[in-house]
Amino acid sequence: MRFVEVDGVRVHYREAGSPEAPTVLLLHGFPSASHQFRGLMEQLADRFHVVAPDYPGFGHSDTPDVEYSFDWLSEVVEGFVEAIGLKRFVVYAFDYGLPIGLRVATRRPEWIAGLVVQNGNAYEDGLSDLAKDFIENGPAPEVFTLPCTRSQYETGVSDVDAIAPDGWTLDQHFLDLPGRKEIQAQIARDYRSNVELYPVWQKWLRDHRPPTLILWGTGDPFFTDAGARAYLRDLPAAELHLLGTGHFALEEKLAEIAPLVADFALRTSG
Protein backbone atom coordinates (compact mmCIF):
# COMPACT_ATOMS: atom_id res chain seq x y z
CA MET A 1 0.00 0.00 0.00
CA ARG A 2 1.34 3.42 -0.95
CA PHE A 3 0.59 6.71 0.76
CA VAL A 4 1.69 10.29 0.29
CA GLU A 5 0.85 13.30 2.44
CA VAL A 6 -0.89 16.23 0.75
CA ASP A 7 -1.43 19.28 2.94
CA GLY A 8 -1.69 17.11 6.01
CA VAL A 9 -3.98 14.52 4.38
CA ARG A 10 -2.68 10.98 3.96
CA VAL A 11 -3.65 9.93 0.43
CA HIS A 12 -3.60 6.28 -0.56
CA TYR A 13 -2.76 5.37 -4.15
CA ARG A 14 -2.07 2.41 -6.40
CA GLU A 15 0.85 2.48 -8.80
CA ALA A 16 2.10 0.04 -11.42
CA GLY A 17 4.48 0.07 -14.36
CA SER A 18 7.75 1.90 -14.91
CA PRO A 19 7.87 5.59 -13.93
CA GLU A 20 9.88 6.07 -17.13
CA ALA A 21 6.90 5.01 -19.25
CA PRO A 22 4.07 7.34 -20.32
CA THR A 23 1.76 8.02 -17.37
CA VAL A 24 -1.99 7.44 -17.14
CA LEU A 25 -3.69 9.01 -14.11
CA LEU A 26 -6.88 7.17 -13.16
CA LEU A 27 -9.57 9.16 -11.34
CA HIS A 28 -12.33 7.06 -9.80
CA GLY A 29 -16.02 7.69 -9.23
CA PHE A 30 -18.68 7.34 -6.56
CA PRO A 31 -19.00 5.29 -4.42
CA SER A 32 -15.76 3.59 -5.35
CA ALA A 33 -12.01 4.14 -5.01
CA SER A 34 -8.80 3.20 -6.81
CA HIS A 35 -9.69 -0.51 -6.59
CA GLN A 36 -12.16 0.00 -9.43
CA PHE A 37 -9.16 0.24 -11.77
CA ARG A 38 -7.47 -2.98 -10.63
CA GLY A 39 -8.16 -4.81 -13.90
CA LEU A 40 -7.26 -1.89 -16.16
CA MET A 41 -4.00 -1.32 -14.29
CA GLU A 42 -3.01 -4.96 -14.84
CA GLN A 43 -3.72 -4.57 -18.55
CA LEU A 44 -1.72 -1.34 -18.94
CA ALA A 45 1.24 -1.80 -16.57
CA ASP A 46 3.49 -3.49 -19.12
CA ARG A 47 3.53 -0.35 -21.29
CA PHE A 48 2.51 2.53 -19.03
CA HIS A 49 3.06 4.08 -15.65
CA VAL A 50 -0.43 3.90 -14.14
CA VAL A 51 -1.40 5.78 -10.97
CA ALA A 52 -4.76 5.77 -9.18
CA PRO A 53 -5.35 7.77 -5.97
CA ASP A 54 -8.19 7.43 -3.47
CA TYR A 55 -9.76 10.83 -2.79
CA PRO A 56 -10.05 11.86 0.87
CA GLY A 57 -13.14 10.22 2.31
CA PHE A 58 -12.84 7.32 -0.15
CA GLY A 59 -10.98 4.02 -0.05
CA HIS A 60 -7.94 3.92 2.21
CA SER A 61 -7.29 7.68 2.27
CA ASP A 62 -7.77 9.88 5.33
CA THR A 63 -11.12 11.36 6.28
CA PRO A 64 -10.15 14.76 7.70
CA ASP A 65 -12.71 16.95 9.46
CA VAL A 66 -13.11 19.56 6.71
CA GLU A 67 -15.83 20.87 4.43
CA TYR A 68 -15.90 18.38 1.56
CA SER A 69 -16.48 19.77 -1.91
CA PHE A 70 -15.42 19.03 -5.45
CA ASP A 71 -13.20 22.11 -5.37
CA TRP A 72 -11.36 20.78 -2.32
CA LEU A 73 -11.06 17.25 -3.68
CA SER A 74 -9.56 18.64 -6.88
CA GLU A 75 -7.04 20.65 -4.87
CA VAL A 76 -5.97 17.47 -3.07
CA VAL A 77 -5.61 15.64 -6.40
CA GLU A 78 -3.54 18.54 -7.76
CA GLY A 79 -1.34 18.39 -4.67
CA PHE A 80 -1.09 14.61 -5.06
CA VAL A 81 0.17 14.98 -8.64
CA GLU A 82 2.82 17.42 -7.46
CA ALA A 83 3.77 15.27 -4.46
CA ILE A 84 4.55 12.19 -6.54
CA GLY A 85 6.24 14.22 -9.29
CA LEU A 86 4.01 13.73 -12.32
CA LYS A 87 4.65 16.24 -15.11
CA ARG A 88 2.45 15.26 -18.04
CA PHE A 89 -0.06 12.46 -18.39
CA VAL A 90 -3.26 11.10 -19.87
CA VAL A 91 -6.21 11.43 -17.47
CA TYR A 92 -8.81 8.67 -17.33
CA ALA A 93 -11.78 10.42 -15.70
CA PHE A 94 -14.83 8.43 -14.62
CA ASP A 95 -17.97 9.79 -12.93
CA TYR A 96 -16.78 12.02 -10.02
CA GLY A 97 -13.33 11.86 -11.59
CA LEU A 98 -14.50 14.00 -14.50
CA PRO A 99 -15.41 17.15 -12.53
CA ILE A 100 -12.35 16.65 -10.34
CA GLY A 101 -10.10 16.13 -13.36
CA LEU A 102 -11.46 19.07 -15.34
CA ARG A 103 -10.96 21.38 -12.37
CA VAL A 104 -7.31 20.31 -12.30
CA ALA A 105 -7.03 20.59 -16.09
CA THR A 106 -8.34 24.15 -16.19
CA ARG A 107 -5.74 25.18 -13.60
CA ARG A 108 -2.85 23.12 -15.00
CA PRO A 109 -3.46 22.57 -18.73
CA GLU A 110 0.23 21.87 -19.31
CA TRP A 111 -0.18 18.58 -17.44
CA ILE A 112 -2.82 17.14 -19.77
CA ALA A 113 -1.49 15.04 -22.65
CA GLY A 114 -4.90 13.56 -23.33
CA LEU A 115 -8.31 12.93 -21.81
CA VAL A 116 -10.20 9.65 -21.51
CA VAL A 117 -13.82 10.32 -20.52
CA GLN A 118 -15.78 7.34 -19.24
CA ASN A 119 -19.35 8.05 -18.14
CA GLY A 120 -18.37 11.43 -16.80
CA ASN A 121 -20.72 14.29 -17.61
CA ALA A 122 -19.88 17.87 -18.62
CA TYR A 123 -23.11 18.67 -20.49
CA GLU A 124 -26.67 19.00 -19.31
CA ASP A 125 -27.68 16.88 -22.33
CA GLY A 126 -26.46 13.79 -20.49
CA LEU A 127 -28.29 14.26 -17.20
CA SER A 128 -31.09 11.72 -16.79
CA ASP A 129 -34.18 12.53 -14.72
CA LEU A 130 -32.64 10.41 -11.96
CA ALA A 131 -29.46 12.50 -12.06
CA LYS A 132 -31.40 15.77 -12.10
CA ASP A 133 -33.38 14.71 -9.03
CA PHE A 134 -30.16 13.72 -7.26
CA ILE A 135 -28.60 17.11 -8.04
CA GLU A 136 -31.69 19.12 -7.14
CA ASN A 137 -32.73 17.32 -3.96
CA GLY A 138 -29.56 15.65 -2.75
CA PRO A 139 -29.08 11.95 -2.06
CA ALA A 140 -31.76 9.90 -0.34
CA PRO A 141 -30.47 7.79 2.59
CA GLU A 142 -30.86 4.56 0.62
CA VAL A 143 -28.23 5.78 -1.86
CA PHE A 144 -25.58 4.63 0.61
CA THR A 145 -26.97 1.15 1.23
CA LEU A 146 -25.83 -2.14 -0.31
CA PRO A 147 -28.83 -2.62 -2.65
CA CYS A 148 -28.21 0.79 -4.24
CA THR A 149 -24.44 0.29 -4.41
CA ARG A 150 -24.95 -3.07 -6.11
CA SER A 151 -27.53 -1.64 -8.51
CA GLN A 152 -24.99 0.90 -9.78
CA TYR A 153 -22.88 -2.02 -10.97
CA GLU A 154 -25.68 -4.13 -12.41
CA THR A 155 -28.16 -1.69 -13.97
CA GLY A 156 -27.82 -1.50 -17.73
CA VAL A 157 -25.31 -4.31 -18.17
CA SER A 158 -25.76 -6.95 -20.85
CA ASP A 159 -24.83 -9.89 -18.60
CA VAL A 160 -25.41 -9.51 -14.86
CA ASP A 161 -23.66 -12.82 -14.18
CA ALA A 162 -20.45 -11.36 -15.62
CA ILE A 163 -20.26 -8.69 -12.91
CA ALA A 164 -18.11 -9.88 -10.01
CA PRO A 165 -19.34 -8.89 -6.53
CA ASP A 166 -15.91 -7.63 -5.45
CA GLY A 167 -16.45 -4.04 -6.52
CA TRP A 168 -19.75 -3.29 -4.82
CA THR A 169 -18.78 -5.33 -1.75
CA LEU A 170 -15.61 -3.30 -1.20
CA ASP A 171 -17.40 -0.03 -1.99
CA GLN A 172 -20.01 -0.80 0.66
CA HIS A 173 -17.33 -1.71 3.19
CA PHE A 174 -15.85 1.77 2.84
CA LEU A 175 -19.27 3.45 2.85
CA ASP A 176 -20.09 1.71 6.13
CA LEU A 177 -16.97 3.00 7.93
CA PRO A 178 -17.66 5.60 10.66
CA GLY A 179 -18.44 9.03 9.24
CA ARG A 180 -18.22 7.99 5.60
CA LYS A 181 -21.92 8.31 4.74
CA GLU A 182 -21.97 11.87 6.11
CA ILE A 183 -18.92 12.73 4.01
CA GLN A 184 -20.48 11.23 0.88
CA ALA A 185 -23.73 13.10 1.47
CA GLN A 186 -21.82 16.36 1.76
CA ILE A 187 -19.97 15.71 -1.51
CA ALA A 188 -23.17 14.67 -3.27
CA ARG A 189 -24.95 17.86 -2.21
CA ASP A 190 -22.12 19.81 -3.83
CA TYR A 191 -22.66 18.13 -7.20
CA ARG A 192 -24.64 21.13 -8.44
CA SER A 193 -21.37 23.10 -8.42
CA ASN A 194 -20.26 20.88 -11.29
CA VAL A 195 -23.29 21.73 -13.39
CA GLU A 196 -22.61 25.41 -12.79
CA LEU A 197 -19.10 24.92 -14.21
CA TYR A 198 -20.21 23.08 -17.35
CA PRO A 199 -19.92 26.23 -19.53
CA VAL A 200 -16.41 26.89 -18.18
CA TRP A 201 -15.27 23.36 -18.95
CA GLN A 202 -16.86 23.38 -22.38
CA LYS A 203 -14.97 26.57 -23.22
CA TRP A 204 -11.74 25.01 -21.93
CA LEU A 205 -12.29 21.99 -24.18
CA ARG A 206 -12.93 24.26 -27.19
CA ASP A 207 -9.91 26.43 -26.46
CA HIS A 208 -7.41 23.64 -25.67
CA ARG A 209 -8.76 20.79 -27.81
CA PRO A 210 -7.07 18.02 -25.82
CA PRO A 211 -6.88 14.66 -27.61
CA THR A 212 -9.93 12.87 -26.23
CA LEU A 213 -11.24 9.32 -26.11
CA ILE A 214 -14.87 8.98 -25.00
CA LEU A 215 -16.03 5.62 -23.63
CA TRP A 216 -19.64 5.34 -22.51
CA GLY A 217 -21.81 2.61 -21.06
CA THR A 218 -25.14 3.29 -22.73
CA GLY A 219 -27.14 1.61 -19.95
CA ASP A 220 -26.01 4.17 -17.38
CA PRO A 221 -29.13 5.30 -15.46
CA PHE A 222 -27.48 8.58 -14.38
CA PHE A 223 -25.52 9.82 -17.39
CA THR A 224 -27.14 9.08 -20.75
CA ASP A 225 -25.21 8.67 -23.98
CA ALA A 226 -26.48 12.10 -25.07
CA GLY A 227 -23.81 13.39 -22.71
CA ALA A 228 -21.18 11.38 -24.57
CA ARG A 229 -22.24 12.73 -27.95
CA ALA A 230 -22.34 16.30 -26.59
CA TYR A 231 -18.55 16.33 -26.25
CA LEU A 232 -18.30 16.22 -30.03
CA ARG A 233 -19.74 19.74 -30.24
CA ASP A 234 -16.59 21.12 -28.64
CA LEU A 235 -14.21 18.29 -29.57
CA PRO A 236 -15.18 17.24 -33.11
CA ALA A 237 -11.99 15.18 -33.46
CA ALA A 238 -12.69 13.13 -30.33
CA GLU A 239 -12.97 9.36 -30.64
CA LEU A 240 -16.33 8.05 -29.36
CA HIS A 241 -17.16 4.46 -28.39
CA LEU A 242 -20.63 3.58 -27.08
CA LEU A 243 -20.63 0.32 -25.13
CA GLY A 244 -23.61 -1.86 -24.33
CA THR A 245 -23.13 -1.88 -20.58
CA GLY A 246 -23.82 0.16 -17.47
CA HIS A 247 -22.22 2.90 -15.39
CA PHE A 248 -19.19 0.87 -14.23
CA ALA A 249 -18.27 -0.08 -17.78
CA LEU A 250 -14.89 -1.58 -16.85
CA GLU A 251 -16.60 -4.34 -14.88
CA GLU A 252 -18.10 -5.88 -18.04
CA LYS A 253 -16.15 -4.37 -20.93
CA LEU A 254 -12.53 -4.38 -19.72
CA ALA A 255 -11.47 -6.52 -22.69
CA GLU A 256 -12.81 -3.85 -25.07
CA ILE A 257 -11.78 -0.78 -23.10
CA ALA A 258 -8.18 -1.69 -22.22
CA PRO A 259 -6.83 -1.85 -25.81
CA LEU A 260 -8.68 1.36 -26.71
CA VAL A 261 -7.05 3.18 -23.79
CA ALA A 262 -3.64 1.66 -24.55
CA ASP A 263 -3.76 2.67 -28.21
CA PHE A 264 -4.97 6.16 -27.36
CA ALA A 265 -2.32 6.69 -24.67
CA LEU A 266 0.45 5.47 -26.97
CA ARG A 267 -0.63 7.85 -29.74
CA THR A 268 -1.10 10.74 -27.35
CA SER A 269 2.18 10.28 -25.51
CA GLY A 270 4.21 9.80 -28.65
Side-chain angles (χ1 to χ4, degrees):
M1 293 182 64
R2 298 174 187 237
F3 292 88
V4 66
E5 188 168 302
V6 179
D7 294 331
V9 179
R10 195 163 177 255
V11 175
H12 170 259
Y13 66 103
R14 298 167 193 262
E15 184 176 27
S18 169
E20 304 304 314
T23 297
V24 180
L25 177 67
L26 304 167
L27 299 181
H28 67 80
F30 165 83
S32 200
S34 60
H35 62 263
Q36 77 162 89
F37 293 117
R38 61 202 180 282
L40 184 61
M41 293 182 77
E42 290 176 2
Q43 294 288 320
L44 298 181
D46 62 332
R47 289 159 288 175
F48 301 97
H49 177 219
V50 282
V51 181
D54 296 344
Y55 315 135
F58 295 76
H60 297 287
S61 288
D62 278 357
T63 55
D65 184 15
V66 299
E67 182 177 346
Y68 284 77
S69 67
F70 281 92
D71 280 346
W72 181 71
L73 292 176
S74 76
E75 290 166 5
V76 173
V77 169
E78 185 174 349
F80 167 79
V81 169
E82 293 178 322
I84 66 170
L86 302 184
K87 301 298 183 185
R88 190 164 171 82
F89 44 82
V90 170
V91 179
Y92 185 117
F94 164 68
D95 188 55
Y96 277 13
L98 193 281
I100 290 170
L102 284 181
R103 279 174 168 84
V104 174
T106 55
R107 295 192 296 263
R108 303 299 295 266
E110 71 278 8
W111 285 354
I112 310 303
L115 181 63
V116 179
V117 176
Q118 194 249 294
N119 292 76
N121 214 56
Y123 297 83
E124 292 195 40
D125 310 49
L127 297 176
S128 69
D129 289 341
L130 184 63
K132 290 175 182 176
D133 180 71
F134 180 94
I135 294 165
E136 180 66 26
N137 300 310
E142 58 267 23
V143 167
F144 307 118
T145 63
L146 180 59
C148 188
T149 300
R150 179 172 179 170
S151 73
Q152 292 185 64
Y153 280 79
E154 294 185 334
T155 301
V157 304
S158 59
D159 181 7
V160 172
D161 291 337
I163 309 302
D166 308 60
W168 74 69
T169 301
L170 193 51
D171 287 351
Q172 194 62 44
H173 162 75
F174 288 123
L175 277 173
D176 289 339
L177 293 177
R180 289 291 184 100
K181 290 184 175 68
E182 291 77 11
I183 288 171
Q184 293 302 330
Q186 191 174 16
I187 296 169
R189 288 193 295 270
D190 186 52
Y191 198 90
R192 64 183 60 197
S193 71
N194 299 327
V195 180
E196 292 167 359
L197 285 172
Y198 282 179
V200 175
W201 297 337
Q202 292 160 17
K203 183 178 186 303
W204 185 87
L205 293 171
R206 288 194 300 274
D207 290 346
H208 290 269
R209 297 291 176 95
T212 302
L213 170 66
I214 305 163
L215 308 168
W216 212 275
T218 57
D220 190 331
F222 305 102
F223 301 140
T224 71
D225 55 72
R229 301 176 195 277
Y231 281 95
L232 300 179
R233 292 202 296 266
D234 297 313
L235 298 169
E239 184 179 339
L240 171 63
H241 295 267
L242 300 178
L243 307 167
T245 190
H247 185 64
F248 282 91
L250 283 169
E251 296 297 313
E252 187 180 22
K253 300 295 184 181
L254 175 62
E256 294 179 41
I257 290 173
L260 291 172
V261 174
D263 178 68
F264 173 77
L266 282 173
R267 287 185 281 113
T268 304
S269 303

